[in-house]
Amino acid sequence: MTEVFTGSFTQQEPIPEEGISAALAVLRSGRLHRYNLAEGEAGDVALLEQEFAQLMGAKYCLAVASGGYALACALRAVGVVAGDRVLTNAFTLAPVPGAIASLGAVPVFVGVTQELTIDLEDLAAKADQADVLLLSHMRGHLADMDALMALCDARGLRVIEDCAHTMGARWRGRPSGTDGLVGCFSTQTYKHINSGEGGLLVTDDAEIAARATVLSGSYMLFERHLAAPSAESFAQIKYETPNVSGRMDHLRAAILRPQLRRLQEQCANWNARYQTVEAGLRGTPGLTLVNRPEAESYVGSSIQFLLLDWPDETIVALLARCAARGVELKWFGAAEPIGFTSRYDSWHYAPSAPMPKSDRVLKSIVDMRLPLTFSLQDCALIARIIKAEVSAVG
Ligand SMILES: *Cc1c(COP(=O)(O)O)cnc(C)c1O
């Protein structure tokens, strides 16, 4: 009998009851705007910022409208202006080069390794072209952050981290997003905590935090923040920094705070699913699993494997066969992006010379989301289906 999977790859868990009650309380108050506070009230947004800063061990935190907004805001806050070149990953998602382009700056793509992390050799070769690296921990894969930071420090590169897929992850115990000058997170539905849309930014730099706060649209009300620098940091910045509104509201923050409290437990749930699929796929001829370094504590909210040197039509055939059995795989390497883009050559507004070694890896990447609505039995079944179909077409 041929096994078929009948679950949904896009169905999330419900918002915890505690979050629903908190959201209803915000709705009943009518005070949705972050600066609309009753006497003595801190507000869910300021509290979320305080709680996230604490969790990350960061001095400052700012909640914003989206992950993409956090990236662009961080770039502006560190001083990137139109015409500047900004280094970034060749393997990432569209909002990352998009954030650079939104400032009129120019993305310069750095290659990818078989571990799906930024190629440090290529980074060293291109380090002279820019003074900011927008580092994307795409699909939760952390580069060797010790080597990367040493390289960037030596070459005068300031690092902004895109942690859309690494909220809750660590490198040698250090929370992802705290090695660089700024860490940016997304709370969009498909990330690790879910408010539909939303973003968070952390930094230990008072000047950057003050600029980001004014940029986000603080209407000179920055003293109502609980995880912002003191008023002195704003003295000049408040006159010099434009308002590019992108605030978070209390409704979203209210939904997020209870989710943040159980983040660690959820990360363990993701990893149990990841490891079940990984174990089921191990030893499949023609299929290469991605090595995870010892120093990396990852969050397995999605899994990738490589079909190195497979002809395009065989990959297409495999995806169709898996889809027919209910397993939705995404071919990140497809030449024509469908519903998502993750290859540097899809972004024609940022031309780049071909990178043959990276292209071989990029062309081979297959991706699968692991929603927490999957049981471990589901994960084992999915792995059996993929393994059988790879063997059938291979
Ligand atoms: C989702 C995502 C973002 C941006 O998040 P939004 O909240 O959707 O703007 C940035 N980088 C990566 C790698 C992402 O997957």
Side-chain angles (χ1 to χ4, degrees), residues 65-71 92-96 136-139 162-165 185-188 190-191 196-199:
S66 73
Y69 182 90
L71 296 175
T92 184
L93 278 182
V96 177
S136 183
H137 303 301
M138 176 64 172
R139 279 321 200 219
D162 164 27
C163 304
H165 305 155
F185 299 81
S186 170
T187 64
Q188 190 239 73
Y190 299 105
K191 314 298 161 107
E197 303 286 355

Side-chain angles (χ1 to χ4, degrees), residues 89-92 97 109 332-337 341-355 358-360 362-363:
N89 303 59
F91 174 50
T92 184
F109 296 110
F332 272 180
E336 196 51 43
T341 60
S342 54
R343 259 174 67 162
Y344 67 98
D345 54 355
S346 317
W347 303 309
H348 295 187
Y349 57 83
S352 169
M355 295 182 264
S358 294
D359 292 344
R360 174 172 178 256
L362 284 171
K363 232 176 95 55

